[in-house]
Amino acid sequence: MPAPYMLHDRLFSQLREFLLEDTKRVGWSLERIAQALKDRYREYQRQKIRPFTHSVEKAYKVLLSDNEFIATVSSKNQTLQNESSSESGAEWDEQATHRPNTMNQMVANLYANNTAASSTTPENSTTAMDTSAKPDDTKRKQTSEKPTKKVKRKRPIESPSANDIEGPDVEYSTITFEDFAASDQFKENLIRRIYFILRPECFIQNGKTPPRGFLLHGPPGVGKSLLAQALAGELNLPMLKTTSTELVSGISGDSEYKIRKLFDQAKRHSPCILFIDEIEAISQRRESASKDMERRIVTQLLACLDGMYQITTLNCLRKAPHIELSHSPMTRVIIIGSTNRPDSLDPALRRAGRFDHEIALGIPNEVERRRILTMMCRKLTSLDPQFHLDELVLKTPGFVGADLSALIDEALFAALNRKMNSDVDTNQSSKFAFNNYFKFMQGLTVIEWVKQKIHEPETEEQTSASSHVITMDDFRKALKSVQPSSKREGFVTVPDVTFDDIGALKDVREELSMAILASIRHPTLYDRFGFVRSPGVLLVGPPGCGKTLLAKAIANESGINFISVKGPELLNMYVGESERAVRQVFQRARDSNPCVIFFDEIDALCPRRTAHDTGSTARVVNQLLTEMDGVDQTTASKRVYVMAATNRMDILDPAILRPGRLDKHIYVGLPNAQGRLDILRTITKNGTRPPLASDVNLQLMSDDERCHGYTGADLAALIREASEIAMTDHISKVLPPEDACVHQSHLDRAFSKILPSVSETDRRRYEDLRQSCLRLQ
């Protein structure tokens, strides 16, 4: 039967499909069918219920005149009746002759009931099909239309059955604590807290409200969702997993309805775990919300959390403590929320009685990375026995669990590629041994080999673990292509600068090693002498002397993370944004501990405050001092090391130079003759890059009076300028590249262009600064 024309062209086919899925739906009311279609199909979600119900009624009426539809419904009902054992054979034979007419009469009666019900309601009074209506009833119908426009539409009453509640599917996780690398103490403490949520008798008897759940927060990839799944699998509890975006709807009031429906579904499956991922999407701060809908969603979520344990239920259980919990009406639902932005959550959500317990999952340290890699490598059947786990642990600072899993996948991919290359080479040698156009076909052999192999059945040699062994070289190759999440999302990284890249400054290196590396390499001895935390280090000296390189080399030598912050980049024109940037830097350092924070040009970030200074600069200084005070004496804060560099120590705020903050001052001054020689050897790689001619003597060059007052940056600029002059000469003379090198004449010409960046007046000022640093030590 061709579909009739109506406002929604697909409504007829969709209604037919919906009713034929379950013939019991034929007996539903028109309002219930319309609401089910709105929830099922996205194109109807923005339709108003009353006009849409009229369209459904029109399509429903056409379906009743379709003999094919009636026959299909009759056959399905007949099949259900055949499977039922409640009817006897005699009754079935007696009704067999009248069944088609009975089904037609039943469908007609259902439609008549629907139209009669719609005619009695004020909403559908205009669409009632009353064949017995008199002409004088027209005036009464017109007068009844006015008040119907003022009546607010209500949501249709849902059936209390569990099938009517739509929400996330109930899952039973197969992941257990064996798949989650954490310490035994952490697992034990977590299980203890879960037990008191599921067995709250002691809380009730003492007149206290039982705990509801906890909040997981940390950087992406640390295993927040994995922990929730491991809890469900370890305790063998059903799990309702949903994301916050699934609860947000564009229709007013629908988001709150979905939240209520989700908590009702959790209560029906009690005991269970309700896991809400990315909970910050529906629980942002209400004072900063731009729409009223966002505030209503947060309020509804708080109300559902508070309504998980009703006051009347608690009072009944307190008056009758002999009633077992299994026979009590109390629900046992563990509510777990996860976020990577805990500061953006509404404070009411984190108060006691809701998410009163928070579990911070930070970036794993060396011990935790070893535990994670051990757990992941245990499942590898083709791992080389000569695999060095400790080396891989030391080379993966800042890696979270997801990064380590990606690293293993990349190493496996490298091993499989190596096996493929060997197979392709074997195929080439056998197929193109006597082919003259072998070189032309060499680029196409891999494609041809893959096209041939994907259609061949797998052999035991291909599926065996011995065919592809994952070696340590595969992991080294994978480390070059896998980037840690902390480096992608922020500015935490491990620098590649070593002490071999820095010439001279041996005394400064020893002081920095004792200040920073002592607590990392000798923690037991460090604690024995009563050191609480490493002192902050301030590097003072002229620009271009290697202060930034020293900080990077220290971080690389210790193998810890490094955050380099240029002073002005944290400043923002908007109120409060600069202070937030300072807090974010220290929070990232705590998450990536052990970590070094290096503030370059700190004089721009922390200038001297005055009595009349009440602007944003004073607030930034106060925020920086608060973060450096070590108020949070946690393990993460103790493993954060602060370094700073400046060439204007006289304009720094005195509060930042006191003991407990940047209390160790190291002067990095101009290099002497021996220092310039070490720097020149480091820059030129002992005369090999750029290649130096035999007439160039680095010893004489470092003792030259023209080099007096040169910094390390000036010497690097001198060598670069001489290399450019030498390259220009070789290009103009058309000499072979093998003879290209830097002569003394090129250096003499470069001396005339590159002058010392520190003038004589500045040298005297920096000398006074060096004396003041010595007095402060």
Side-chain angles (χ1 to χ4, degrees):
M1 178 178 180
Y5 173 77
M6 53 185 61
L7 184 61
H8 307 287
D9 53 352
R10 298 179 57 190
L11 180 59
F12 181 79
S13 59
Q14 291 170 347
L15 178 61
R16 179 187 181 92
E17 179 184 358
F18 177 76
L19 294 178
L20 289 179
E21 287 180 359
D22 187 0
T23 55
K24 295 181 180 180
R25 296 174 180 172
V26 178
W28 288 7
S29 63
L30 289 175
E31 291 82 1
R32 186 177 180 184
I33 295 175
Q35 185 62 42
L37 291 175
K38 282 172 60 66
D39 296 339
R40 182 170 182 172
Y41 299 103
R42 182 177 298 178
E43 58 266 27
Y44 303 139
Q45 291 181 358
R46 292 184 177 273
Q47 297 291 329
K48 293 185 178 180
I49 188 63
R50 217 184 313 169
F52 185 67
T53 305
H54 296 167
S55 300
V56 172
E57 181 184 3
K58 181 179 179 181
Y60 189 83
K61 181 180 179 181
V62 175
L63 276 177
L64 291 181
S65 60
D66 187 1
N67 295 328
E68 182 182 356
F69 173 76
I70 298 298
T72 305
V73 174
S74 302
S75 62
K76 288 191 175 183
N77 286 337
Q78 181 178 0
T79 304
L80 293 176
Q81 291 177 4
N82 288 333
E83 295 177 355
S84 176
S85 59
S86 60
E87 284 187 309
S88 62
E91 293 175 346
W92 178 260
D93 296 336
E94 183 180 354
Q95 297 175 2
T97 57
H98 303 286
R99 192 175 300 112
N101 296 331
T102 304
M103 179 55 61
N104 293 341
Q105 186 65 29
M106 182 189 69
V107 175
N109 292 336
L110 288 174
Y111 174 69
N113 293 335
N114 284 332
T115 55
S118 61
S119 63
T120 56
T121 56
E123 299 178 358
N124 300 323
S125 59
T126 58
T127 60
M129 301 178 62
D130 190 2
T131 57
S132 61
K134 297 181 179 180
D136 57 356
D137 292 339
T138 307
K139 184 177 180 180
R140 189 190 317 151
K141 290 183 179 181
Q142 292 177 354
T143 56
S144 63
E145 290 179 356
K146 295 182 179 180
T148 59
K149 297 181 180 180
K150 300 180 181 179
V151 176
K152 186 177 181 181
R153 177 179 63 87
K154 297 182 179 180
R155 184 177 297 276
I157 301 176
E158 298 290 334
S159 174
S161 61
N163 296 330
D164 294 340
I165 295 183
E166 299 179 1
D169 297 333
V170 180
E171 303 175 0
Y172 285 89
S173 177
T174 58
I175 301 174
T176 61
F177 276 162
E178 294 181 357
D179 304 316
F180 185 79
S183 62
D184 295 337
Q185 183 180 2
F186 174 81
K187 296 177 182 178
E188 181 180 349
N189 294 335
L190 189 59
I191 289 295
R192 288 176 182 269
R193 183 166 293 274
I194 295 297
Y195 174 78
F196 291 120
I197 297 177
L198 298 177
R199 306 290 299 184
E201 295 95 335
C202 296
F203 286 90
I204 298 172
Q205 293 175 359
N206 290 278
K208 301 297 293 183
T209 302
R212 292 171 173 82
F214 49 87
L215 180 68
L216 301 175
H217 62 87
V222 296
K224 300 184 291 294
S225 302
L226 183 65
L227 177 57
Q229 295 177 0
L231 276 174
E234 187 72 20
L235 301 177
N236 196 20
L237 292 175
M239 182 178 180
L240 298 174
K241 182 180 178 181
T242 182
T243 57
S244 299
T245 53
E246 297 177 359
L247 302 176
V248 179
S249 176
I251 303 176
S252 179
D254 198 40
S255 301
E256 298 91 308
Y257 175 69
K258 289 182 178 180
I259 294 175
R260 293 193 300 270
K261 192 163 56 174
L262 175 65
F263 278 81
D264 290 341
Q265 185 182 8
K267 293 177 183 179
R268 295 179 185 274
H269 293 88
S270 173
C272 68
I273 293 179
L274 174 59
F275 179 62
I276 305 177
D277 198 7
E278 305 295 339
I279 197 173
E280 72 273 4
I282 58 173
S283 58
Q284 296 183 358
R285 294 178 176 270
R286 283 173 287 184
E287 61 269 15
S288 60
S290 58
K291 299 180 180 179
D292 291 338
M293 183 188 71
E294 300 176 359
R295 301 185 182 94
R296 294 198 307 268
I297 291 176
V298 178
T299 306
Q300 182 63 63
L301 180 61
L302 299 178
C304 289
L305 286 173
D306 294 337
M308 188 59 65
Y309 296 105
Q310 297 293 341
I311 299 178
T312 56
T313 302
L314 295 177
N315 292 334
C316 292
L317 291 176
R318 290 164 188 165
K319 294 178 182 178
H322 61 279
I323 300 178
E324 296 183 2
L325 184 64
S326 59
H327 298 89
S328 66
M330 178 179 294
T331 57
R332 296 179 292 167
V333 179
I334 306 169
I335 306 173
I336 304 176
S338 72
T339 179
N340 53 5
R341 296 189 302 159
D343 294 337
S344 64
L345 296 180
D346 193 87
L349 191 68
R350 306 173 69 179
R351 73 157 175 82
R354 290 163 182 164
F355 286 136
D356 50 357
H357 183 67
E358 300 181 3
I359 300 177
L361 300 178
I363 296 179
N365 54 22
E366 183 176 339
V367 178
E368 294 169 346
R369 289 199 303 273
R370 180 179 289 103
R371 190 183 298 117
I372 295 173
L373 286 172
T374 303
M375 184 268 296
M376 291 182 176
C377 294
R378 192 187 304 126
K379 303 178 181 179
L380 297 178
T381 58
S382 57
L383 187 63
D384 188 7
Q386 304 298 328
F387 170 69
H388 300 288
L389 180 63
D390 295 336
E391 179 183 351
L392 189 61
V393 169
L394 293 176
K395 290 185 176 181
T396 53
F399 279 64
V400 297
D403 300 330
L404 295 176
S405 178
L407 179 67
I408 295 177
D409 294 342
E410 195 68 24
L412 177 59
F413 186 73
L416 295 175
N417 270 337
R418 187 177 65 255
K419 177 66 170 56
M420 179 186 289
N421 293 336
S422 63
D423 294 343
V424 171
D425 293 339
T426 304
N427 189 22
Q428 285 178 351
S429 60
S430 61
K431 185 176 181 180
F432 301 105
F434 302 100
N435 202 327
N436 295 328
Y437 58 93
F438 166 70
K439 294 183 179 180
F440 177 75
M441 292 291 296
Q442 188 174 7
L444 302 178
T445 52
V446 176
I447 300 177
E448 297 295 334
W449 184 86
V450 170
K451 290 168 62 177
Q452 178 184 358
K453 290 295 182 181
I454 59 177
H455 298 289
E456 293 181 358
E458 294 184 356
T459 61
E460 294 183 0
E461 182 182 357
Q462 294 175 349
T463 57
S464 62
S466 59
S467 61
H468 51 277
V469 179
I470 306 176
T471 62
M472 194 63 200
D473 293 335
D474 297 329
F475 281 98
R476 295 189 184 100
K477 185 183 298 183
L479 282 171
K480 299 178 181 179
S481 57
V482 177
Q483 192 179 27
S485 300
S486 57
K487 186 177 180 180
R488 286 196 301 267
E489 301 213 1
F491 30 76
V492 181
T493 182
V494 178
D496 54 356
V497 179
T498 63
F499 282 134
D500 295 336
D501 301 324
I502 303 175
L505 304 177
K506 294 182 179 179
D507 297 337
V508 177
R509 278 190 272 177
E510 293 178 0
E511 289 189 66
L512 283 177
S513 299
M514 288 301 300
I516 303 295
L517 301 182
S519 61
I520 300 175
R521 295 179 176 176
H522 310 285
T524 305
L525 191 62
Y526 197 81
D527 294 336
R528 182 176 178 84
F529 281 96
F531 293 108
V532 178
R533 57 185 298 174
S534 296
V537 179
L538 178 63
L539 301 178
V540 185
C545 291
K547 299 185 291 294
T548 306
L549 287 178
L550 279 171
K552 292 183 178 180
I554 282 293
N556 180 276
E557 187 73 14
S558 58
I560 61 179
N561 296 313
F562 183 79
I563 298 179
S564 179
V565 181
K566 304 296 186 295
E569 72 182 11
L570 297 181
L571 301 179
N572 198 302
M573 62 180 292
Y574 297 103
V575 177
E577 289 298 317
S578 302
E579 299 91 300
R580 187 188 62 82
V582 173
R583 291 193 302 269
Q584 185 180 13
V585 167
F586 280 87
Q587 185 60 45
R588 287 186 182 273
R590 295 187 192 101
D591 294 338
S592 307
N593 73 92
C595 183
V596 173
I597 306 177
F598 177 66
F599 291 98
D600 200 5
E601 306 296 340
I602 196 175
D603 50 277
L605 189 64
C606 191
R608 185 186 296 271
R609 292 171 294 179
T610 60
H612 305 286
D613 191 3
T614 58
S616 60
T617 304
R619 294 196 300 269
V620 173
V621 175
N622 295 335
Q623 183 66 51
L624 184 61
L625 297 178
T626 303
E627 295 291 339
M628 295 180 62
D629 274 338
V631 176
D632 186 11
Q633 292 294 338
T634 59
T635 304
S637 297
K638 294 177 183 178
R639 294 169 62 87
V640 174
Y641 309 96
V642 181
M643 297 181 63
T646 182
N647 53 5
R648 295 292 307 275
M649 186 178 174
D650 53 325
I651 66 173
L652 283 178
D653 193 89
I656 202 173
L657 303 176
R658 72 157 177 84
R661 291 168 182 162
L662 298 178
D663 51 357
K664 191 172 187 62
H665 307 147
I666 299 178
Y667 181 78
V668 184
L670 298 174
N672 52 18
Q674 183 61 34
R676 291 193 293 269
L677 177 61
D678 295 338
I679 293 173
L680 288 173
R681 288 175 177 172
T682 303
I683 293 174
T684 61
K685 308 295 181 184
N686 289 325
T688 59
R689 188 180 179 91
L692 301 179
S694 57
D695 60 344
V696 177
N697 191 334
L698 295 180
Q699 180 68 48
L700 297 177
M701 182 178 174
S702 60
D703 294 335
D704 196 335
E705 288 295 331
R706 293 176 295 181
C707 278
H708 183 67
Y710 271 55
T711 63
D714 296 337
L715 293 175
L718 179 68
I719 297 298
R720 184 173 60 253
E721 184 65 27
S723 300
E724 292 178 358
I725 295 174
M727 185 176 65
T728 303
D729 289 348
H730 282 77
I731 291 175
S732 60
K733 295 178 181 179
V734 196
L735 296 176
E738 294 79 8
D739 298 338
C741 59
V742 178
H743 292 273
Q744 184 62 39
S745 59
H746 301 146
L747 290 171
D748 294 337
R749 292 166 59 184
F751 269 118
S752 61
K753 295 183 178 181
I754 304 300
L755 301 178
S757 58
V758 182
S759 62
E760 188 66 30
T761 305
D762 293 336
R763 289 179 215 166
R764 290 195 296 267
R765 182 169 60 86
Y766 285 119
E767 183 62 25
D768 297 337
L769 184 60
R770 185 179 71 86
Q771 296 297 331
S772 63
C773 289
L774 293 177
R775 289 193 300 269
L776 290 174
Q777 294 298 328

